[in-house]
Every structure is written in C-alpha cells, then in structure tokens.
Amino acid sequence: MAVRVLLVEDAAGARDALQDLLASAERFELVAVAGGEGEAKIWLEDHPGAWDLAVVDLVLADGSGFGVLE
C-alpha cells in the first residue's frame, strides 16, 4: 500500500524536485500539492483522513508551515 503524501511548498523549483523524488519512489502517492498555508488548510479540512504523510515547508509566502501543522 502506498503512503499518501500531501506536499506544501511555495517555491516552484523545490516543489518540482520533491514531486519528481516522490514519483520516482513507488512507495509514495502524491495526493495533493499546496502552495501556501491557506490552500493546505482548506485541502486538509475537505479531505480528512486522505493522507498519511505531510511534507511541509515551514517558511511560506502565504502563511507558515507551522500553521499547516496545527
């Protein structure tokens, strides 16, 4: 069974690299990508239990990764 991953990253280069890394590992399934705190929190509220692992940038242009982790 794949580990379902939520990726929260606002920097395009880092986001692309992380997406490529996760795609190359068969064990992970990228279920959502968010570019900021607000977008991530909305996705989490709309999809409870739809993820197993969150990869979160702590410094975001829109909010903070710490806000996502709450």
Side-chain angles (χ1 to χ4, degrees), residues 18-49:
L18 287 166
Q19 285 177 303
D20 290 345
L21 178 65
L22 291 167
S24 71
E26 294 178 12
R27 180 154 190 213
F28 299 102
E29 174 190 359
L30 189 60
V31 293
V33 177
E37 178 182 347
E39 184 181 357
K41 288 172 99 171
I42 289 169
W43 188 88
L44 287 166
E45 289 173 9
D46 290 346
H47 301 89

Side-chain angles (χ1 to χ4, degrees), residues 2-70:
V3 176
R4 301 168 298 171
V5 180
L6 163 64
L7 173 60
V8 183
E9 174 59 68
D10 59 347
R15 183 177 54 243
D16 292 344
L18 287 166
Q19 285 177 303
D20 290 345
L21 178 65
L22 291 167
S24 71
E26 294 178 12
R27 180 154 190 213
F28 299 102
E29 174 190 359
L30 189 60
V31 293
V33 177
E37 178 182 347
E39 184 181 357
K41 288 172 99 171
I42 289 169
W43 188 88
L44 287 166
E45 289 173 9
D46 290 346
H47 301 89
W51 60 282
D52 303 308
L53 172 69
V55 178
V56 182
D57 180 2
L58 296 179
V59 180
L60 300 166
D62 168 31
S64 162
F66 291 108
V68 175
L69 296 177
E70 292 179 326

